Amino acid sequence: MSRLVPGLKPCDSGLCHEPYKVHEVVFFIAVYLISIATGGHKPSLESFGANQFDDDHPEERKKKMSFFNWWNSGLCCGLLLGVTVIVYIQDQVSWAAADITLSAVMASTIAIFCMGRPFYRYRKATGSPLTPMLQVIVAAIAKRNVPYPSDPDQLYEVPESDKTRMRLLFHTDKLKFLDKAAIIDDKQNKEEEKLKNNPWRLATVTRVEEMKLILNMIPIWLTTLPFGICVAQTATFFIKQSTTMNRKVFHNFIIPPASVFALAAIGTIISITFYDRLLVPFLRKVTGNERGLKILQRIGFGMIFSTITMVIAALVERKRLNIVEKNPLEGSISMSVLWLAPQFLIIGIGDGFTLVGLQEYFYDQVPDSMRSLGIAFYLSVIGAANFLSSLLITLVDHITEKGGKSWFGKDLNSSRLDYFYGLLAVITMANLGVYVFVARKYSYKNVQRTTMAVADCCKGDSIEAMA
């Protein structure tokens, strides 16, 4: 609408020196609606897709382990079309035509999604996932002076008759303070029946373990942020570099700057396909692990690729600046944009390990009732990393400017992005050491039973053992 409706266009004709305020308002409303929509549907849709597989069925469980691989392959295919076909329509036809095309695509996806409603599996609603965690904290604080039992089996768990309603977790020895929420002391034994009905005074072992899962995720979440900062450079400085280079290929066809990002998507698709089709079957035989690699190992391998990416990016940018120094008038226009291909491809390969691994991790390791929120935690890594990237750039700019010359000049030719990339390489390398230490101490979710109820939305009845 901001490109077609006359009253909402940026200006009547020609270039816009001062866009209409109403155009800016409508345009930014559209941009923020995209963010709101992504935050609403992406976590829910991804976890909903993974929930279609039965954890208790051997074949379906294996397929579920491949779900996030193919989910991300689909996203990368969409990205490829976005930065090639849609960008071409924007450049050669109009922005309005591109927006209409994307709107039509989204409308068709809604229709396809609704057509599948009779065939989906639905998890039974269990109420707020956050309330039980608050109850564990309150109960643990209230019983902070209660002595810990000599045998962990004395901790309270749900009655035998209720065990089919949820997946139970085994007790772990970490964060033992929280275990006090599941202790029944001598004084409380007298009112045990009454106490069991008050979750603010007594929590089950499973609820306590679910709280531990969330707390154990915090160090992993923090140590994945530097990887997200590296990923943030692909859509910002990497693309900006391409605008200063020779983008002519194939009989003088000029690649749009945004289309260079397709190389990262290609790297991710190659990485995911290789991992899922070749590496996982081989590693299953070697390690005996059903996943091939443990989830945190997969994430760590991707972090190694991010460090390599920053080193290569620094070397390529140093070469570009040397060319600019020799030919200040022409700049780096003589340098082919394909010099950027290695850094895009390698960060894409890293995405295939770390980003997909993070989706698996935050889906699989959260409590069953929080799986949609788990995918939101994954998205928060990317969002927080983008904010941190901006903060880091501001800090580096301020510090280096005091030292004489800022690393971020008025344009890339007067900047020192090679130094900045080198700094990111050092940060990611140091962070990798911290991540390995944290990952080695991490205890994975240990499920006691895998039976849960799933409801059919149309008939309202429940089906056992659906994940």
Side-chain angles (χ1 to χ4, degrees):
M1 287 172 61
S2 68
R3 305 297 303 184
L4 290 176
V5 178
L8 301 180
K9 285 185 178 181
C11 52
D12 293 329
S13 61
L15 296 175
C16 305
H17 299 290
E18 292 187 13
Y20 296 148
K21 289 295 180 185
V22 66
H23 168 78
E24 293 182 354
V25 171
V26 172
F27 174 78
F28 280 106
I29 286 175
V31 171
Y32 289 124
L33 280 174
I34 292 174
S35 298
I36 294 170
T38 301
H41 87 84
K42 195 170 183 180
S44 303
L45 187 61
E46 192 166 349
S47 60
F48 183 69
N51 286 344
Q52 302 307 303
F53 299 89
D54 183 358
D55 278 326
D56 293 334
H57 191 284
E59 287 302 316
E60 287 200 30
R61 186 170 62 249
K62 283 188 177 181
K63 289 178 181 179
K64 185 174 184 176
M65 292 175 187
S66 295
F67 169 76
F68 290 101
N69 293 329
W70 298 113
W71 169 275
N72 282 275
S73 294
L75 288 180
C76 288
C77 290
L79 177 62
L80 276 174
L81 292 174
V83 298
T84 54
V85 176
I86 300 301
V87 167
Y88 181 82
I89 294 174
Q90 290 170 348
D91 288 349
Q92 302 299 320
V93 184
S94 69
W95 284 81
D99 293 337
I100 290 172
T101 302
L102 292 173
S103 298
V105 169
M106 289 305 300
S108 65
T109 62
I110 294 172
I112 293 171
F113 178 75
C114 290
M115 287 169 61
R117 287 189 65 196
F119 309 102
Y120 298 141
R121 292 166 170 174
Y122 298 85
R123 292 174 58 85
K124 219 176 179 183
T126 55
S128 169
L130 301 179
T131 303
M133 295 182 186
L134 183 59
Q135 290 169 343
V136 169
I137 295 173
V138 170
I141 293 174
K143 292 187 282 189
R144 60 189 177 277
N145 296 322
V146 175
Y148 193 84
S150 57
D151 185 1
D153 289 338
Q154 296 177 17
L155 298 174
Y156 175 66
E157 187 52 281
V158 296
E160 192 72 30
S161 60
D162 293 339
K163 285 188 176 181
T164 56
R165 299 179 188 174
M166 62 185 299
R167 301 206 304 174
L168 303 185
L169 303 179
F170 283 106
H171 173 262
T172 61
D173 292 329
K174 292 187 175 181
L175 300 170
K176 294 186 74 170
F177 170 77
L178 294 174
D179 288 340
K180 296 198 172 185
I183 296 175
I184 304 176
D185 62 16
D186 294 335
K187 181 180 178 181
Q188 292 170 333
N189 273 331
K190 299 176 183 178
E191 3 177 282
E192 185 175 344
E193 288 304 317
K194 181 180 177 182
L195 193 62
K196 288 177 182 177
N197 296 323
N198 185 1
W200 296 94
R201 295 285 308 282
L202 180 65
T204 64
V205 170
T206 294
R207 292 302 186 193
V208 171
E209 291 302 318
E210 287 179 346
M211 186 66 204
K212 290 181 182 180
L213 286 175
I214 299 301
L215 293 178
N216 284 330
M217 282 184 167
I218 295 174
I220 301 295
W221 188 89
L222 291 173
T223 51
T224 54
L225 290 175
F227 175 83
I229 294 175
C230 293
V231 172
Q233 311 315 311
T234 60
T236 52
F237 285 135
F238 284 13
I239 298 296
K240 190 68 175 175
Q241 283 176 276
S242 70
T243 62
T244 67
M245 303 170 77
N246 182 9
R247 290 179 281 110
K248 288 184 179 179
V249 293
F250 306 124
H251 304 291
N252 293 328
F253 175 76
I254 299 177
I255 302 174
S259 297
V260 182
F261 194 78
L263 293 170
I266 292 171
T268 302
I269 293 173
I270 292 172
S271 171
I272 290 173
T273 305
F274 173 78
Y275 180 82
D276 192 84
R277 297 288 91 183
L278 299 176
L279 197 57
V280 169
F282 171 75
L283 290 175
R284 277 175 178 164
K285 296 177 182 178
V286 173
T287 65
N289 189 313
E290 201 170 27
R291 292 182 181 275
L293 284 176
K294 292 180 180 178
I295 299 176
L296 294 182
Q297 289 176 334
R298 180 178 185 174
I299 294 171
F301 274 113
M303 290 182 176
I304 295 173
F305 283 105
S306 70
T307 303
I308 297 172
T309 299
M310 290 299 108
V311 172
I312 292 176
L315 294 174
V316 171
E317 178 63 7
R318 177 69 61 85
K319 177 177 176 62
R320 192 189 72 80
L321 290 175
N322 288 339
I323 294 175
V324 171
E325 189 176 351
K326 293 177 183 178
N327 303 286
L329 295 178
E330 292 185 7
S332 56
I333 196 65
S334 61
M335 185 177 179
S336 172
V337 74
L338 295 180
W339 277 92
L340 299 178
Q343 63 200 59
F344 273 107
L345 287 170
I346 293 173
I347 195 66
I349 292 171
D351 288 352
F353 282 89
T354 297
L355 290 186
V356 181
L358 283 172
Q359 291 173 17
E360 281 189 271
Y361 172 75
F362 284 113
Y363 173 85
D364 189 72
Q365 293 300 302
V366 296
D368 291 345
S369 60
M370 293 184 67
R371 281 175 164 172
S372 292
L373 282 175
I375 299 298
F377 293 157
Y378 149 73
L379 292 174
S380 72
V381 171
I382 307 302
N386 276 274
F387 280 112
L388 286 176
S389 176
S390 299
L391 178 61
L392 181 62
I393 290 169
T394 302
L395 289 174
V396 170
D397 179 46
H398 181 70
I399 293 171
T400 54
E401 192 174 32
K402 281 188 174 182
K405 184 182 178 182
S406 172
W407 289 358
F408 306 100
K410 292 182 179 179
D411 55 52
L412 290 190
N413 292 341
S414 62
S415 302
R416 294 310 305 246
L417 285 186
D418 53 335
Y419 293 163
F420 181 63
Y421 292 152
L423 174 64
L424 288 180
V426 172
I427 291 174
T428 52
M429 194 177 299
N431 175 74
L432 182 60
V434 178
Y435 172 81
V436 170
F437 174 79
V438 171
R440 287 173 66 89
K441 298 288 184 181
Y442 184 82
S443 297
Y444 286 92
K445 182 178 179 181
N446 197 353
V447 179
Q448 187 173 336
R449 293 185 59 134
T450 57
T451 304
M452 66 173 57
V454 188
D456 186 295
C457 81
C458 298
K459 299 180 181 179
D461 54 350
S462 62
I463 304 168
E464 294 297 324
M466 297 290 188

